[in-house]
Amino acid sequence: MQVFLEPLTPREEAEYLRRYKEGDPCAKDILIERNMRLVAHIAKKYSGEKRDMEEMISIGTIGLIKAVKTFDDTKGIRLGTYAAKCIENELLMHMRQERKKTREVSLYDPIGTNEEGNAISLLDILEQEAKDMTEACHLKEDVKWLYNALPKVLNEREQKIIIERYGLYGGREKTQKELSVQLNISRSYVSRIEKKALSKLHAAYDKKID
């Protein structure tokens, strides 16, 4: 079992970022080493029977290295926040490449779990995928289908939950807890509506490709 070093404190992180900007290569190594716990945490979501944890960590580390190299500390965010996105993007890109090779791409194939323990499918990240220029051509048609299908397949409440849950139309992704407060319903009810809506979209998509 791998043991990772404790994360840097905000003060330590600022110091090593300053030293890295000034050309200290050791500072870069420390920034990477002290963020490996973050890599392992994110990689765990995407590992499973078909994916080795160590392989996922190796791939996630590539994303971390890219994050350290491109991080702009003038944006007012922590390195960890920025790195988490880069790590996840690297893992998602790797899995897309895997699926291309096996020709098993499906909008609703499970690819991991989110922080709430719910399964993540390709449909869930369709909006994010569309922003990835390397995949834009392949996803453009499905994104267009999804937006056209929402008002036709889902009722008003289902549309609202799917749109706000996954940050469609450029919005912010919201948790089930946030939506339960916003809609004044229980979190479990939000979950049931979400699952039902996704099932209806899956069924509609199946008919499209039959």
Short mmCIF file of all heavy atoms in Angstrom, two decimals, residues 28-56:
data_model
loop_
_atom_site.label_atom_id
_atom_site.label_comp_id
_atom_site.label_asym_id
_atom_site.label_seq_id
_atom_site.Cartn_x
_atom_site.Cartn_y
_atom_site.Cartn_z
N LYS A 28 9.40 22.18 -7.64
CA LYS A 28 8.41 21.49 -8.48
C LYS A 28 8.18 20.07 -7.98
O LYS A 28 7.04 19.60 -7.86
CB LYS A 28 8.88 21.46 -9.92
CG LYS A 28 8.00 20.64 -10.85
CD LYS A 28 8.63 20.51 -12.22
CE LYS A 28 7.86 19.54 -13.10
NZ LYS A 28 8.52 19.32 -14.41
N ASP A 29 9.26 19.36 -7.66
CA ASP A 29 9.15 17.98 -7.17
C ASP A 29 8.35 17.92 -5.88
O ASP A 29 7.53 17.02 -5.68
CB ASP A 29 10.54 17.38 -6.94
CG ASP A 29 11.32 17.20 -8.23
OD1 ASP A 29 10.68 17.16 -9.30
OD2 ASP A 29 12.56 17.10 -8.18
N ILE A 30 8.59 18.88 -5.00
CA ILE A 30 7.87 18.90 -3.72
C ILE A 30 6.39 19.17 -3.93
O ILE A 30 5.53 18.55 -3.31
CB ILE A 30 8.49 19.96 -2.78
CG1 ILE A 30 9.90 19.49 -2.36
CG2 ILE A 30 7.61 20.19 -1.56
CD1 ILE A 30 10.68 20.53 -1.59
N LEU A 31 6.07 20.09 -4.82
CA LEU A 31 4.67 20.40 -5.12
C LEU A 31 3.94 19.17 -5.65
O LEU A 31 2.76 18.94 -5.34
CB LEU A 31 4.59 21.54 -6.13
CG LEU A 31 4.95 22.93 -5.61
CD1 LEU A 31 5.15 23.89 -6.77
CD2 LEU A 31 3.88 23.45 -4.67
N ILE A 32 4.63 18.37 -6.43
CA ILE A 32 4.04 17.15 -6.98
C ILE A 32 3.89 16.09 -5.88
O ILE A 32 2.81 15.51 -5.69
CB ILE A 32 4.89 16.60 -8.15
CG1 ILE A 32 4.82 17.57 -9.33
CG2 ILE A 32 4.41 15.21 -8.57
CD1 ILE A 32 5.80 17.26 -10.44
N GLU A 33 4.98 15.84 -5.15
CA GLU A 33 4.97 14.80 -4.12
C GLU A 33 3.92 15.07 -3.05
O GLU A 33 3.24 14.16 -2.60
CB GLU A 33 6.35 14.72 -3.46
CG GLU A 33 7.43 14.15 -4.37
CD GLU A 33 8.83 14.31 -3.77
OE1 GLU A 33 8.92 14.84 -2.63
OE2 GLU A 33 9.80 13.91 -4.43
N ARG A 34 3.77 16.35 -2.68
CA ARG A 34 2.85 16.66 -1.57
C ARG A 34 1.39 16.77 -2.03
O ARG A 34 0.51 17.04 -1.21
CB ARG A 34 3.30 17.97 -0.90
CG ARG A 34 4.70 17.88 -0.30
CD ARG A 34 4.78 16.99 0.92
NE ARG A 34 4.19 17.62 2.08
CZ ARG A 34 4.85 18.43 2.90
NH1 ARG A 34 6.13 18.69 2.70
NH2 ARG A 34 4.24 18.96 3.94
N ASN A 35 1.15 16.56 -3.32
CA ASN A 35 -0.23 16.52 -3.82
C ASN A 35 -0.62 15.13 -4.33
O ASN A 35 -1.67 14.98 -4.96
CB ASN A 35 -0.42 17.56 -4.94
CG ASN A 35 -0.67 18.95 -4.39
OD1 ASN A 35 -1.76 19.27 -3.94
ND2 ASN A 35 0.36 19.77 -4.42
N MET A 36 0.22 14.13 -4.04
CA MET A 36 -0.07 12.78 -4.51
C MET A 36 -1.28 12.15 -3.83
O MET A 36 -1.93 11.28 -4.39
CB MET A 36 1.16 11.89 -4.33
CG MET A 36 2.28 12.16 -5.34
SD MET A 36 1.72 11.96 -7.06
CE MET A 36 1.30 10.20 -7.07
N ARG A 37 -1.58 12.61 -2.62
CA ARG A 37 -2.79 12.10 -1.95
C ARG A 37 -4.03 12.48 -2.75
O ARG A 37 -4.99 11.71 -2.84
CB ARG A 37 -2.90 12.67 -0.54
CG ARG A 37 -2.05 11.97 0.48
CD ARG A 37 -2.44 12.35 1.89
NE ARG A 37 -1.67 11.63 2.88
CZ ARG A 37 -1.91 11.66 4.18
NH1 ARG A 37 -2.92 12.40 4.65
NH2 ARG A 37 -1.17 10.97 5.01
N LEU A 38 -4.01 13.68 -3.32
CA LEU A 38 -5.12 14.13 -4.15
C LEU A 38 -5.26 13.24 -5.38
O LEU A 38 -6.37 12.87 -5.77
CB LEU A 38 -4.90 15.58 -4.57
CG LEU A 38 -5.93 16.19 -5.53
CD1 LEU A 38 -7.30 16.24 -4.86
CD2 LEU A 38 -5.50 17.60 -5.94
N VAL A 39 -4.13 12.90 -5.99
CA VAL A 39 -4.15 12.01 -7.16
C VAL A 39 -4.78 10.67 -6.79
O VAL A 39 -5.65 10.16 -7.49
CB VAL A 39 -2.72 11.78 -7.70
CG1 VAL A 39 -2.74 10.74 -8.82
CG2 VAL A 39 -2.12 13.08 -8.22
N ALA A 40 -4.34 10.10 -5.67
CA ALA A 40 -4.85 8.80 -5.23
C ALA A 40 -6.35 8.86 -4.94
O ALA A 40 -7.11 7.94 -5.27
CB ALA A 40 -4.10 8.33 -4.00
N HIS A 41 -6.78 9.96 -4.33
CA HIS A 41 -8.21 10.12 -3.98
C HIS A 41 -9.07 10.15 -5.25
O HIS A 41 -10.11 9.48 -5.31
CB HIS A 41 -8.40 11.42 -3.20
CG HIS A 41 -9.84 11.76 -2.93
ND1 HIS A 41 -10.61 11.06 -2.03
CD2 HIS A 41 -10.65 12.71 -3.48
CE1 HIS A 41 -11.84 11.57 -2.03
NE2 HIS A 41 -11.89 12.56 -2.89
N ILE A 42 -8.63 10.89 -6.25
CA ILE A 42 -9.40 10.98 -7.49
C ILE A 42 -9.30 9.69 -8.29
O ILE A 42 -10.29 9.21 -8.85
CB ILE A 42 -8.93 12.19 -8.33
CG1 ILE A 42 -9.19 13.49 -7.57
CG2 ILE A 42 -9.63 12.22 -9.69
CD1 ILE A 42 -8.62 14.73 -8.22
N ALA A 43 -8.11 9.09 -8.34
CA ALA A 43 -7.91 7.85 -9.09
C ALA A 43 -8.78 6.72 -8.54
O ALA A 43 -9.25 5.86 -9.29
CB ALA A 43 -6.44 7.44 -9.05
N LYS A 44 -9.01 6.74 -7.23
CA LYS A 44 -9.82 5.69 -6.60
C LYS A 44 -11.23 5.65 -7.17
O LYS A 44 -11.85 4.58 -7.28
CB LYS A 44 -9.87 5.93 -5.09
CG LYS A 44 -10.55 4.81 -4.32
CD LYS A 44 -10.50 5.07 -2.82
CE LYS A 44 -11.17 3.95 -2.05
NZ LYS A 44 -11.15 4.20 -0.59
N LYS A 45 -11.76 6.81 -7.58
CA LYS A 45 -13.11 6.87 -8.14
C LYS A 45 -13.21 6.13 -9.46
O LYS A 45 -14.28 5.66 -9.84
CB LYS A 45 -13.54 8.33 -8.35
CG LYS A 45 -13.66 9.15 -7.08
CD LYS A 45 -14.41 10.44 -7.34
CE LYS A 45 -13.71 11.34 -8.32
NZ LYS A 45 -14.42 12.61 -8.52
N TYR A 46 -12.08 6.04 -10.18
CA TYR A 46 -12.11 5.47 -11.51
C TYR A 46 -11.46 4.09 -11.59
O TYR A 46 -11.43 3.48 -12.65
CB TYR A 46 -11.40 6.41 -12.49
CG TYR A 46 -12.09 7.74 -12.60
CD1 TYR A 46 -11.62 8.86 -11.90
CD2 TYR A 46 -13.24 7.90 -13.35
CE1 TYR A 46 -12.26 10.08 -11.98
CE2 TYR A 46 -13.90 9.11 -13.43
CZ TYR A 46 -13.40 10.21 -12.75
OH TYR A 46 -14.04 11.40 -12.82
N SER A 47 -10.94 3.59 -10.48
CA SER A 47 -10.35 2.25 -10.49
C SER A 47 -11.46 1.23 -10.21
O SER A 47 -12.53 1.57 -9.74
CB SER A 47 -9.25 2.15 -9.43
OG SER A 47 -9.79 2.31 -8.13
N GLY A 48 -11.20 0.00 -10.50
CA GLY A 48 -12.20 -1.04 -10.30
C GLY A 48 -11.67 -2.37 -10.80
O GLY A 48 -10.45 -2.56 -10.94
N GLU A 49 -12.59 -3.30 -11.07
CA GLU A 49 -12.19 -4.62 -11.52
C GLU A 49 -11.38 -4.57 -12.81
O GLU A 49 -10.46 -5.34 -13.02
CB GLU A 49 -13.43 -5.51 -11.74
CG GLU A 49 -14.17 -5.82 -10.44
CD GLU A 49 -15.36 -6.72 -10.69
OE1 GLU A 49 -15.56 -7.14 -11.84
OE2 GLU A 49 -16.09 -7.01 -9.73
N LYS A 50 -11.73 -3.65 -13.71
CA LYS A 50 -11.07 -3.59 -15.01
C LYS A 50 -9.94 -2.56 -15.04
O LYS A 50 -9.26 -2.44 -16.05
CB LYS A 50 -12.10 -3.26 -16.10
CG LYS A 50 -13.15 -4.34 -16.28
CD LYS A 50 -14.10 -3.97 -17.41
CE LYS A 50 -15.16 -5.05 -17.61
NZ LYS A 50 -16.09 -4.71 -18.71
N ARG A 51 -9.77 -1.81 -13.96
CA ARG A 51 -8.75 -0.77 -13.97
C ARG A 51 -7.91 -0.86 -12.71
O ARG A 51 -8.43 -0.82 -11.60
CB ARG A 51 -9.39 0.62 -14.06
CG ARG A 51 -10.16 0.84 -15.35
CD ARG A 51 -10.54 2.31 -15.50
NE ARG A 51 -11.32 2.50 -16.70
CZ ARG A 51 -12.64 2.50 -16.75
NH1 ARG A 51 -13.31 2.31 -15.64
NH2 ARG A 51 -13.28 2.67 -17.89
N ASP A 52 -6.62 -0.97 -12.88
CA ASP A 52 -5.69 -1.09 -11.78
C ASP A 52 -5.47 0.26 -11.12
O ASP A 52 -5.28 1.27 -11.79
CB ASP A 52 -4.35 -1.64 -12.31
CG ASP A 52 -3.33 -1.80 -11.20
OD1 ASP A 52 -3.52 -2.70 -10.37
OD2 ASP A 52 -2.36 -1.02 -11.17
N MET A 53 -5.50 0.27 -9.78
CA MET A 53 -5.35 1.52 -9.03
C MET A 53 -4.01 2.18 -9.32
O MET A 53 -3.94 3.40 -9.51
CB MET A 53 -5.50 1.23 -7.54
CG MET A 53 -5.34 2.44 -6.64
SD MET A 53 -6.64 3.70 -6.90
CE MET A 53 -6.28 4.81 -5.54
N GLU A 54 -2.94 1.40 -9.36
CA GLU A 54 -1.62 1.97 -9.60
C GLU A 54 -1.54 2.61 -10.98
O GLU A 54 -0.91 3.66 -11.17
CB GLU A 54 -0.54 0.89 -9.46
CG GLU A 54 -0.32 0.44 -8.02
CD GLU A 54 0.88 -0.47 -7.88
OE1 GLU A 54 1.63 -0.63 -8.88
OE2 GLU A 54 1.08 -1.01 -6.78
N GLU A 55 -2.21 1.99 -11.96
CA GLU A 55 -2.22 2.57 -13.31
C GLU A 55 -2.97 3.90 -13.31
O GLU A 55 -2.55 4.87 -13.93
CB GLU A 55 -2.89 1.61 -14.29
CG GLU A 55 -2.92 2.16 -15.72
CD GLU A 55 -3.73 1.28 -16.67
OE1 GLU A 55 -4.37 0.33 -16.20
OE2 GLU A 55 -3.72 1.57 -17.87
N MET A 56 -4.11 3.94 -12.60
CA MET A 56 -4.88 5.17 -12.51
C MET A 56 -4.08 6.28 -11.82
O MET A 56 -4.15 7.45 -12.22
CB MET A 56 -6.19 4.93 -11.75
CG MET A 56 -7.20 4.02 -12.47
SD MET A 56 -7.90 4.76 -13.98
CE MET A 56 -6.91 3.94 -15.24
#
